[in-house]
Amino acid sequence: MNVEYLWDVWSRMLRASPWEIVWGLLSSPVVCAALGIALALVVVRVRRGSSTGRSVLREERVAVGAIALVVGVVWVVDLALRGYVLDMSATVSWWRFAVAPIAAAAGMAVWGALLRTKAPRRTVDATSIARRTWTTFGSRPGIRILLALMAVTACVVVVFGQTSAALEPGVAAHVALDVPNVDAPPIVTVFPGWAYGIPLLAGVIALAAGVVFALHRNAVRPFSDRLRLETQRSGRSDAARDLVTLALAVMLIALGGLLHMARSGAVTTMTVMTDSGAEVRHDVSLPHADLILTGGFVAPFLQIGGCMLLALLVVRAIGLVRARPRRSAPPVEVPA
């Protein structure tokens, strides 16, 4: 980023309307991240006084918050490096939409692999050996929303991939837009084609596997004999809810980035200078125009929502760390 670029941005802001300035700010993922964090802090402040969570599975829930923090930091660092530090304008940054899902999937895999039950384990009985699956403690509505979001992302990737064109062998990262009734070559712009979509699909698959693995480990591990069975089940439901929330957050961030890039690369009109010096505007043939324009409108709100969910997980983890167990409470509960 050089001085000329900053001066050009400032000049355009002076000529723009208030609505254009607001929408230009919302088009920045960094601004969306800041707004998401601010909304999370507002939500926490409004809900102040509510319990930050039970002491059951405190360490596990704090770990999920730590994963959310790492995912957010990795995503923001990638944005900063690509947008403000390194000149990657001529590079196909194929990993940009897959960073958050893959980071979250890796964190969930580690979380599930390290999950253990503190001794002594609960004596085997009919209530503790009942068949448990990865959906036993998971939030069923949250899981359904997550699956629907993954399906929508996969469909959008396929549509954009088929629309995209490759300027060189093996790299489909552009779109060629025709201008009807005009003797002019097609307009070629950057577009989230297969070069970006295939890594994102891999990230979605990895995230789905990480969610299933973590929820499965959370459900099937033996119960402890130190706490009531109902208390442990409630704690596992809270941990599963946090895992699903983390997955929803990274999917919203990834899908929002994909839709924003498609809208940024889409051109709906073209101005042509005639021989007499007059300007004539022509409509550009934009494939899947409704999807691209609608997606570009909702993209900032998707990213704001995803960043808010990540921030809520981090703030909740901080609250659990700061919460002091009641000293007056007995360290061991009577088993049910």
Side-chain angles (χ1 to χ4, degrees), residues 13 22 28-29 37 57 60 103 144-146 152 162 212 217 240:
M13 289 182 63
V22 171
S28 171
I37 295 173
L57 297 190
E60 288 83 349
R144 294 191 187 99
I145 295 174
L146 177 61
V152 169
Q162 293 179 340
V212 173
R217 290 283 298 147

Side-chain angles (χ1 to χ4, degrees), residues 28-307:
S28 171
V30 176
V31 174
C32 292
L35 290 175
I37 295 173
L39 286 176
L41 295 177
V42 171
V43 171
V44 170
R45 186 173 183 84
V46 170
R47 298 180 59 183
R48 177 179 293 180
S50 62
S51 175
T52 56
R54 306 172 182 85
S55 60
V56 181
L57 297 190
R58 182 186 300 271
E59 296 82 2
E60 288 83 349
R61 298 189 67 191
V62 170
V64 176
I67 296 171
L69 177 61
V70 171
V71 170
V73 170
V74 169
W75 179 63
V76 172
V77 168
D78 177 66
L79 286 175
L81 290 177
R82 289 188 293 102
Y84 303 97
V85 179
L86 304 177
D87 183 10
M88 304 187 67
S89 57
T91 303
V92 177
S93 52
W94 52 267
W95 63 87
R96 61 191 303 174
F97 305 123
V99 164
I102 291 179
M108 290 182 182
V110 174
W111 186 91
L114 298 179
L115 206 58
R116 296 290 185 273
T117 297
K118 296 180 180 179
R121 295 186 176 185
R122 184 178 179 84
T123 305
V124 176
D125 54 30
T127 58
S128 62
I129 64 173
R131 185 174 182 273
R132 288 168 275 157
T133 66
W134 66 280
T135 60
T136 300
F137 299 106
S139 173
R140 299 296 178 88
I143 292 176
R144 294 191 187 99
I145 295 174
L146 177 61
L147 292 176
L149 195 58
M150 288 180 171
V152 169
T153 302
C155 292
V156 172
V157 166
V158 172
V159 171
F160 287 172
Q162 293 179 340
T163 305
S164 63
L167 296 185
E168 56 185 80
V171 181
H174 298 80
V175 62
L177 305 175
D178 296 324
V179 183
N181 304 321
V182 176
D183 186 15
I187 303 173
V188 179
T189 61
V190 177
F191 194 76
W194 291 120
Y196 299 94
I198 292 177
L200 176 56
L201 285 179
V204 171
I205 294 173
L207 179 63
V211 170
V212 173
F213 175 72
L215 292 179
H216 175 75
R217 290 283 298 147
N218 179 57
V220 302
R221 63 173 177 148
F223 291 102
S224 173
D225 198 36
R226 294 180 174 178
L227 299 172
R228 293 182 182 274
L229 191 59
E230 293 79 5
T231 304
Q232 296 185 70
R233 284 176 171 170
S234 181
R236 295 191 185 195
S237 296
D238 292 339
R241 190 180 303 111
D242 289 350
L243 290 169
V244 175
T245 301
L246 174 58
L248 284 171
V250 297
M251 285 304 305
L252 288 173
I253 289 174
L255 180 58
L258 187 76
L259 294 175
H260 172 70
M261 184 179 183
R263 181 64 187 92
S264 299
V267 179
T268 56
T269 60
M270 178 182 179
T271 302
V272 178
M273 297 291 296
T274 62
D275 295 337
S276 60
E279 295 184 353
V280 180
R281 295 174 63 88
H282 298 275
D283 293 331
V284 177
S285 179
L286 178 62
H288 309 291
D290 294 339
L291 172 62
I292 293 175
L293 297 178
T294 303
F297 177 78
V298 302
F301 303 104
L302 293 179
Q303 291 195 322
I304 291 173
C307 294

